[in-house]
Amino acid sequence: KMKIILFATKDFGQFYKVFYAFIIIVNYSYSCAQCIISPFDTAQGGLLGDLIISSYSNVLSNSTTQSGSTATPPSGLSISNGNAMNVLSWNPVSDTTAYNLYWSNTSSVSVSTGTRILNVTSPYSHTGLLNGTTYYYILTSVDSRGEGSASELISATPLSPVAVGSAGTVYYTLDGLTWTAKTIAGTNVLYKVIHDGTNYIAVGGTGTACVAYYSYDGISWTQSTGFTCNSQMNDITFGKGILVAAGGTTILSPTATTYISTNHGITFTVNSGMNASGAAYTRIAFDGTYFIAGNGANPPSVYRSLTGTAFTTAPVSALFGSACTSSGYMGDLYNIPGTARLIFIGAASGCSNATVTSHFTDNSGNNWTNNSSSIFGGNTTPISPNGIAFGGTRLVAVGQSCKTDYSDNSLSSLSWNYNGTMSGCTTGTIWNGITFDKSKFIAVGVNGSGVGTIATSATGLPTSWNILNVSGGSINGVSWK
């Protein structure tokens, strides 16, 4: 018969012990329930085994295996999703030498079933993921005694940025690199898309009929209902728990109005409140207090509303100055996230001053400041800036003729640094919009051949862009959560 017999232990200090046991082959013809057989006791028939095993309960508590460690599991584990990535952070654990992350696409992830990533540090970016797929995580601490028990379970789903364009097309990416085009709105042009914290909402129309669509993941879309519109929606913003889309009311948009949704774009209602502008709104933004809309008049003016319904003329509405009375173009109205700063960019002709300009306001349009250094160098030809986005500490603008510019002091004097073209940009390219997805800027537009184009840059600097032409016509807007 075979029996496992403890032979000896040896203490090697504070943290562990080495012990020896042998498999003993015992031949005996009597029952001995309480016998302890020495491996050298030939009287009992013991023979020395040749296999050393480790199994001793008072040693386990000081071993380097997970089950015996008292290392404290990490606390305060949090997660945020990105484009093809999730970012995890946690509170430090004292005396911990390392942290191990385990992940899976199932909620039953454990130390034994999850894919392990050794020696992660907070915050940790888990990259190379698939947008629209949920990832589950647990985290362990490692100290001088070994790996401890796991933290609570946490999960997140990476989210694709979404671009919209002509022929009712949306564009999304599963891997953060390659883009898929999908027609959702027939022949309607889609002009803008935003994310309100729950859904993506895309808006557009034909000039004779408005359309709006919503999507949780940017991939599967449903048409919004509840309104009739004989014009088009040109832009959309979110604030005070409501979506406010800006556009016109009748064919060819001679009169401004807004469209309101209180349920993340599922339904909209036509605003019945007063709109001071006689020209359709082309841009709208929320600055934390007011909804600010700009119209398509020549030159454009701005209007504001506390509710998104009743709009009145903003205190300062002549954004190009008294010298410009003939024509102008509102490129964008943009609120820097988490601040009260609202930025206007645009271009105009028939002006004695610079025709390309930007202004900012920190008090909901009570007064606007003209930047000390004008965007795009204040070109003397109307090369319009069409879109701006803030990422990290940098504000980046894009526009016509491959133009790009950036500012690293956008929360102070907002001076622009560059008057040139984006590297690798095809002649005739017009950039229509830009966003930041936590790790990079994404610009969209149309090249000189009428093909949609998407450019990405981690820094937003003019020489750092990667440009990809995609199928379809003009891409008009882009957004990320």
Side-chain angles (χ1 to χ4, degrees), residues 201-236:
I201 301 94
V203 297
T206 61
T208 60
C210 297
V211 291
Y213 292 79
Y214 64 94
S215 170
Y216 176 75
D217 57 8
I219 300 171
S220 299
W221 294 80
T222 302
Q223 186 168 2
S224 306
T225 60
F227 66 99
T228 300
C229 164
N230 296 322
S231 181
Q232 63 192 32
M233 295 178 176
N234 297 315
D235 200 357
I236 186 168

Side-chain angles (χ1 to χ4, degrees), residues 341-359:
R341 175 154 294 189
L342 191 72
I343 301 172
F344 161 86
I345 54 175
S349 58
C351 305
S352 61
N353 59 342
T355 58
V356 180
T357 188
S358 68
H359 294 66

